[in-house]
Amino acid sequence: QVQLVESGGGLVQAGGSLRLSCAASSSTYAMGWFRQAPGKEREFVAAINWSGGTTYYADSLKGRFTISRDNAKNTVYLQMNSLKPEDTAVYYCATSASPRLTPRGNEYDYWGQGTQVTVSS
């Protein structure tokens, strides 16, 4: 069983940046970030394969968010720039054993507890 711990969330003004981290208890395959805003369904944000050579983003977030990983630290990052109030949500990381990157949450096996990101206008 893999344990995932997110960190780096907080309160930021619109236009600002945050970098989220997700530390895994062991090495992982594909990793993904998701988010869930109050009253809304969970939404795919980004995914990255084991080597970090392939990434996949939600179309609406391309250009503002960047996913990366450091396998030596078993950690995945989400750099978020030009943040907007609508980015406010709890952000979750998850790991998948699937050989392909996927935006489907039900294809991820382990999830972190989430970190709150709040963007003020």
Side-chain angles (χ1 to χ4, degrees), residues 24-60:
S25 58
S26 61
S27 60
T28 59
Y29 294 101
M31 295 289 294
W33 284 98
F34 292 77
R35 67 185 185 183
Q36 188 166 21
K40 295 187 177 181
E41 292 187 353
R42 184 177 60 198
E43 175 186 21
F44 170 74
V45 174
I48 189 167
N49 71 342
W50 180 86
S51 69
T54 302
T55 56
Y56 179 24
Y57 295 92
D59 287 342
S60 61

Side-chain angles (χ1 to χ4, degrees), residues 9-13 18 83-85 87-89 91 116-120:
L11 175 63
V12 63
Q13 289 188 333
L18 281 175
L83 283 163
K84 305 175 182 179
D87 294 319
T88 295
Y91 284 71
Q116 176 71 47
V117 171
T118 303
V119 184
S120 63

Side-chain angles (χ1 to χ4, degrees), residues 101-115:
L101 300 182
T102 174
R104 299 179 179 180
N106 60 6
E107 295 191 33
Y108 289 79
D109 306 299
Y110 299 104
W111 293 78
Q113 83 290 348
T115 186

Side-chain angles (χ1 to χ4, degrees), residues 74-85:
N74 290 335
T75 299
V76 174
Y77 305 98
L78 184 68
Q79 177 68 43
M80 305 185 295
N81 298 327
S82 302
L83 283 163
K84 305 175 182 179

